[in-house]
Amino acid sequence: MVISITEGAADQVKEMMKEEEAGARLRFGIQGGGCSGLSYSLGFDHDVNDELDMVEDINGIPVVINKQDAPIIEGTTIDFKQNMMGGGFSIDNPNAIVSCGCGSSFRTDRRVGSPEKC
């Protein structure tokens, strides 16, 4: 398993999936950008490219990950935190050597990305 999803995050994703069309999968990966060079990408997708993507079942959720992203997000945990201001997903990536204050941008020793202004 490349990533893990906590029970709280899984419950939230399953609730959100109820609003999606049948066959939706959670897609998690990275893209260039953000103030540290890389940003996380988290959303729903219906398309899977068998050559480029891997699909895993994590806590009852079909998760799609681009094979090129897998080494960069290996060991990552996705959680959902709720507080008085609302809730949101948090991502803990042990491969990130630099993260920005917002928590959605990072850099690894393997990949720097394309830093942008916040």
Side-chain angles (χ1 to χ4, degrees):
M1 192 175 327
V2 176
I3 65 169
S4 61
I5 300 174
T6 66
E7 188 175 325
D11 290 345
Q12 184 66 31
V13 170
K14 288 174 185 174
E15 258 324 290
M16 294 168 71
M17 286 182 86
K18 291 177 182 177
E19 303 295 320
E20 295 294 317
E21 292 181 28
R25 297 173 179 93
L26 181 68
R27 180 175 284 277
F28 179 64
I30 59 168
Q31 58 192 17
C35 51
S36 295
L38 298 171
S39 295
Y40 296 107
S41 174
L42 184 65
F44 295 108
D45 197 349
H46 291 84
D47 299 322
V48 175
N49 182 321
D50 292 330
E51 291 181 26
L52 301 176
D53 297 324
M54 59 175 43
V55 180
E56 294 186 345
D57 185 275
I58 304 171
N59 285 353
I61 300 168
V63 179
V64 180
I65 297 171
N66 184 291
K67 292 175 184 176
Q68 288 184 332
D69 293 349
I72 298 166
I73 59 174
E74 179 80 36
T76 295
T77 299
I78 300 174
D79 194 9
F80 186 82
K81 300 188 188 259
Q82 187 77 36
N83 61 33
M84 292 175 57
M85 301 296 287
F89 291 97
S90 67
I91 299 171
D92 180 25
N93 182 348
N95 303 304
I97 59 170
V98 173
S99 294
C100 71
C102 67
S104 64
S105 181
F106 69 103
R107 181 173 71 215
T108 70
D109 60 353
R110 294 174 143 180
R111 193 149 163 211
V112 176
S114 309
E116 300 171 350
K117 292 185 178 182
C118 285

